[in-house]
Amino acid sequence: MATTPLDQTATRERVLTVVERVLGYPLAPGAEQLTELDSLQVLELLVSLEEEFDIDSEKIIETEPNWWTSLDGLVESVSRLSAEQAGN
């Protein structure tokens, strides 16, 4: 199991909370792939992440083409965008 850097632990918990709120149920322990999200859930996830982290949704979309498919990738992207925003 890969370790999560300490600075991403809180972000991961917040992202996981948002994902689970959008899904309507908790993810299984160790779940990584979010490919089962339908288009409405992806849109709701985008809006929820924008509200939770105060990051422009366009920046989230620009991180990678399928930004919503991997929990680890999503946490990494949100962490990076949050750090960039804090630096501005």
Side-chain angles (χ1 to χ4, degrees), residues 3 33 46 48 61 75-76:
T3 58
Q33 297 302 311
L46 180 61
S48 296
I61 293 169
V75 169
E76 184 179 324

Side-chain angles (χ1 to χ4, degrees), residues 40-72:
L40 185 58
Q41 288 172 317
V42 170
L43 180 58
E44 185 178 350
L45 178 60
L46 180 61
V47 170
S48 296
L49 289 169
E50 182 176 34
E51 291 172 354
E52 176 70 24
F53 293 95
D54 196 28
I55 297 171
D56 187 319
S57 59
E58 291 296 321
K59 290 183 179 182
I60 295 170
I61 293 169
E62 291 170 357
T63 59
E64 67 178 75
N66 294 321
W67 58 268
W68 69 90
T69 60
S70 162
L71 184 60
D72 283 344

